[in-house]
Amino acid sequence: SVKRGRFGDLLMRRLRLTTLLMWTIWFVTSFSYNGIVLLTTAMFESPDGCHGSEVKFNPNPTCFLECKSLTKKDYIDLTWTTFAEFPGLFITAFLLNKIGRKYTMAVELLVFTVVVMLVNICMPREGLTFFLFVARAVISGAFQGAYVYTPEIYPTSVRAIGLGTCSGMARVGAIITPFVAQVLLKQSTYAAISLYGSFCLIAALAAFFLPIETRGYDMKDSGSEVPKVTVRDVTSRTRLKWATKFVQNT
């Protein structure tokens, strides 16, 4: 008797906060994941003299889209950053069951913020490759964390449309990110990098304030079964949790 797949149910009182926060997380993770992939090559091509680039640069290109030749070392470094997803996914799989879904996303998004901001520092190529490696690892993990959390938090009646709308927000992020990683980067490397860091900081806060942790959570069939939880409840429970740990340790 339950009507399934109604978009409006995603914004019902019990699911509204979760839906808005999940849309934010999916948009930012896709924006940042695809951005770091594009940004890596663009950084290696950048002739700013600050990131160890050996690319030959033509100051007067015949075309705005003229390609810069990558060296053998560039391709090796690109390969290393690609391999970062393997340890990132294994670490995520461990953390999802150790500290929970939402805290895994929050921690990995926060680590991405810190690491990406450090890329703004002038450093040798080895340092740049290391930070891009870590950033690629944690943002791919955060993306997979969102894939695990989303179907667990939505009840059966709206699970498909909930996951579908979140995936749609991810596509929007993927569409927008080339304008930052390739267009804005040409104008200001620091502005492009800082934008990714700032967005992921917002997403980390969104993950922290998710109302429900789904580790060990019984999946529901309808929206009426989802418990009512507000942001105030989340902060209160977090303070109580840390206070309890402090008392136990002392």
Side-chain angles (χ1 to χ4, degrees):
S1 61
V2 178
K3 293 183 179 180
R4 303 180 184 277
R6 291 185 298 180
F7 177 82
D9 290 341
L10 296 177
L11 299 175
M12 63 185 296
R13 186 175 181 182
R14 294 172 184 265
L15 292 174
R16 186 182 304 132
L17 178 60
T18 297
T19 296
L20 295 177
L21 292 177
M22 288 309 301
W23 284 351
T24 302
I25 293 169
W26 276 78
F27 171 85
V28 174
T29 50
S30 178
F31 176 79
S32 301
Y33 173 80
N34 290 283
I36 201 67
V37 172
L38 297 174
L39 191 70
T40 300
T41 305
M43 293 289 289
F44 289 169
E45 289 179 343
S46 176
D48 60 2
C50 192
H51 295 102
S53 176
E54 299 175 358
V55 176
K56 297 178 182 179
F57 176 63
N58 179 7
N60 298 306
T62 56
C63 174
F64 177 75
L65 297 177
E66 181 175 333
C67 295
K68 316 295 189 302
S69 58
L70 294 174
T71 65
K72 179 180 178 180
K73 187 177 187 304
D74 293 331
Y75 284 110
I76 294 174
D77 292 340
L78 282 169
T79 303
W80 277 115
T81 60
T82 303
F83 282 147
E85 295 197 23
F86 287 103
L89 294 178
F90 284 119
I91 292 172
T92 299
F94 171 78
L95 292 177
L96 286 173
N97 291 316
K98 185 67 175 178
I99 64 175
R101 277 66 160 147
K102 73 173 194 173
Y103 291 116
T104 297
M105 291 187 289
V107 168
E108 290 183 329
L109 288 166
L110 187 60
V111 171
F112 181 88
T113 299
V114 174
V115 171
V116 165
M117 288 300 189
L118 290 175
V119 173
N120 277 321
I121 302 174
C122 194
M123 67 184 73
R125 170 59 70 83
E126 291 75 14
L128 175 63
T129 303
F130 172 76
F131 285 130
L132 290 174
F133 180 95
V134 176
R136 181 85 174 256
V138 293
I139 196 61
S140 63
F143 211 162
Q144 297 309 312
Y147 266 107
V148 172
Y149 181 90
T150 305
E152 291 180 340
I153 192 60
Y154 282 115
T156 304
S157 58
V158 293
R159 185 169 296 129
I161 194 170
L163 183 60
T165 54
C166 287
S167 181
M169 292 300 294
R171 300 303 184 270
V172 175
I175 291 170
I176 295 175
T177 199
F179 295 99
V180 178
Q182 295 183 318
V183 179
L184 180 60
L185 188 75
K186 293 181 182 295
Q187 305 300 320
S188 174
T189 302
Y190 299 103
I193 294 172
S194 299
L195 188 62
Y196 284 112
S198 301
F199 271 45
C200 270
L201 179 60
I202 294 172
L205 292 173
F208 176 79
F209 284 111
L210 284 169
I212 299 172
E213 169 55 57
T214 60
R215 183 183 61 164
Y217 177 75
D218 292 332
M219 299 174 73
K220 310 301 181 183
D221 290 327
S222 65
S224 59
E225 299 177 13
V226 178
K228 294 181 180 179
V229 184
T230 64
V231 174
R232 181 177 297 179
D233 296 331
V234 176
T235 54
S236 298
R237 288 187 309 191
T238 302
R239 288 196 299 267
L240 179 61
K241 179 180 178 180
W242 287 107
T244 302
K245 286 187 176 181
F246 176 78
V247 171
Q248 291 174 347
N249 292 333
T250 55

